[in-house]
Amino acid sequence: FDRIHNSFEMLLPNLGEPDSDDNTIYSIRQDSRGIYWLFTAGGLFSYDDNENLFKDYKRDSIITDENILPGDAFFWWNEMRFFEDHAGTVWIGTDRGLKKYDPGSDQFITYCHDPDDHESISGDYIGCIREDKNGNLWISETSTGGSPEGAVVALNNMTDRENGTFKRYYHDKNDAKSLVSDWIWGLHIDRRDNLWIVGRNGFSRYNYETDDFENYRLPVYAVPRQYFLDNYITRIMEDSKGNLWMHIYAKGYLSFNPSGEEIIHYYWEPDNPNYLAPDNLSKKVLEDRSGSIWATGSARITRSEPFSKPFYSVTPEILGFHSEGDLTVTSLYNDNHGTLWLGTYERGLIKSHDFKPDESNEYNHLNSGFIPYCFFRDNSGQLWMGTIVNGLGKVNEQTNAVKWYTSD
């Protein structure tokens, strides 16, 4: 974006083929050297802004096989599969092993499962990468997709980064101190430097002193079985008070207080307005500046009070609408000025200036002609809005007007 001329320059990884999958970019990450990593439908690229130079690393991503299913192209760029460690080394998880970028050779080193080497990584389908305070690199691996026959789900600790050796941790139903599940995915290092592992039917905390796990099983649910991934924890986040929030696939959220070890399951109950909105596979959760937790769902949005547990429905009437309609929330953003922005599927953009969770707030309905998908405030303070179909919007917060930038 050129601020002087108020215009955009189109940058394409594959300039020679404008319609190529290489130019469909799902996610961008920037490393400490200032290099941008582009996860596209065609594969992996890097972009050096100083040199205005793209580099093609498709051979190091999973999008190199004509047999790859279309859904894999969307999944492989998952944000949990990109990580930069304390030394500035970039690691990328794929369905074909763990990749480490070597800037000296400008190539990736690949670590794959070797059935004859018990110190190799447990499998090739990488879920999440994290580093703890001791410099240990932890990798969750799910042994599906591209993993070799016979690979077993495990948590991996890379014990030697030079030689590429790993220590594996498995689930053992006869060992209460083993990993909680035979399917794991998300990893999280909390503010107390604890390592948390989430998976099917529960989650684990790694015990550094005894080299084993403290396990927490999911409570028995009143929610009937609906999906084949029932009881799978797919995401984990930490709020400002140190509570962990975990999304259960199609089943709402768990709130866990590590100090009191209290687990509360929030899910939808049709006759209880103080529970979460219908999940509808949603994963969006946000903590605003006051400490309230917002969770989205199908046709409703819910929030908690700053210092209490119950959730309260934010109905269309509260937002100023006179009909029920569709209040499926596509994006949430609480900026540093105290303004709460809600992007909805049918209602467009909703704004509450100087939002206070414990008071009756005034909501402004700005526009219903677009579907806000994400928000971003740049270093100059300008608020940008990404939408579905309508392009990129530059929001004037004084007039509530939006200037549109599209590919045309």
Side-chain angles (χ1 to χ4, degrees), residues 39-254:
F39 297 78
T40 81
L44 181 66
F45 288 81
S46 71
Y47 176 68
D48 187 331
D49 190 27
N50 294 324
E51 301 291 335
N52 193 24
L53 178 66
F54 286 97
K55 289 186 179 180
D56 182 348
Y57 298 95
K58 285 190 290 185
R59 66 186 181 278
D60 292 304
S61 56
I62 71 164
I63 314 299
T64 57
D65 186 343
E66 293 181 357
N67 295 322
I68 291 294
L69 297 175
D72 291 336
F74 289 92
F75 177 75
W76 87 274
W77 58 264
N78 187 295
E79 62 183 10
M80 297 190 300
R81 301 178 108 184
F82 177 96
F83 188 77
E84 182 178 9
D85 66 23
H86 71 282
T89 301
V90 169
W91 301 83
I92 296 177
T94 75
D95 294 3
R96 301 293 184 267
L98 178 67
K99 311 281 185 175
K100 179 177 76 172
Y101 178 65
D102 178 12
S105 62
D106 193 25
Q107 293 182 345
F108 279 86
I109 300 170
T110 303
Y111 301 95
C112 293
H113 175 70
D114 181 351
D116 297 323
D117 182 2
H118 69 278
E119 291 188 326
S120 68
I121 197 165
S122 62
D124 293 345
Y125 199 92
I126 308 304
C128 184
I129 308 167
R130 292 292 183 266
E131 184 181 39
D132 65 22
K133 65 175 182 178
N134 300 318
N136 296 311
L137 195 70
W138 297 90
I139 304 100
S140 65
E141 194 285 319
T142 61
S143 292
T144 59
S147 288
E149 188 70 25
V152 181
V153 168
L155 174 68
N156 296 265
N157 179 4
M158 195 171 194
T159 55
D160 189 334
R161 301 192 191 189
E162 292 300 321
N163 297 312
T165 58
F166 299 81
K167 180 176 181 179
R168 308 172 189 173
Y169 297 86
Y170 299 100
H171 168 71
D172 181 350
K173 64 180 181 180
N174 297 316
D175 183 358
K177 292 295 185 179
S178 70
L179 202 59
V180 68
S181 171
D182 58 0
W183 185 93
I184 60 172
W185 183 249
L187 306 176
H188 176 69
I189 308 292
D190 70 18
R191 65 184 62 194
R192 302 176 183 87
D193 298 315
N194 293 307
L195 169 65
W196 298 91
I197 306 98
V198 300
R200 179 169 54 198
N201 296 326
F203 55 100
S204 300
R205 178 180 62 84
Y206 176 66
N207 190 322
Y208 284 88
E209 294 182 358
T210 56
D211 195 30
D212 56 17
F213 300 91
E214 187 71 26
N215 293 318
Y216 303 86
R217 299 287 176 178
L218 298 188
V220 177
Y221 299 130
V223 183
R225 182 178 176 85
Q226 293 176 307
Y227 301 98
F228 74 99
L229 286 178
D230 274 10
N231 300 348
Y232 281 68
I233 301 176
T234 59
R235 294 175 69 96
I236 178 171
M237 66 158 279
E238 184 176 3
D239 67 23
S240 61
K241 296 180 281 293
N243 299 311
L244 300 179
W245 291 83
M246 288 164 270
H247 177 259
I248 311 173
Y249 190 87
K251 289 291 185 67
Y253 289 87
L254 288 182

Side-chain angles (χ1 to χ4, degrees), residues 262-311:
E262 178 186 22
I263 300 177
I264 302 177
H265 180 210
Y266 297 103
Y267 53 89
W268 179 54
E269 286 185 322
D271 298 327
N272 189 343
N274 293 336
Y275 273 72
L276 285 185
D279 190 298
N280 197 30
L281 311 188
S282 172
K283 299 180 182 179
K284 294 184 182 297
V285 62
L286 165 80
E287 181 181 18
D288 66 26
R289 296 197 320 151
S290 72
S292 290
I293 300 294
W294 292 76
T296 67
S298 176
R300 186 191 291 185
I301 182 172
T302 47
R303 68 170 176 84
S304 69
E305 295 292 352
F307 301 104
S308 63
K309 294 293 186 183
F311 278 81

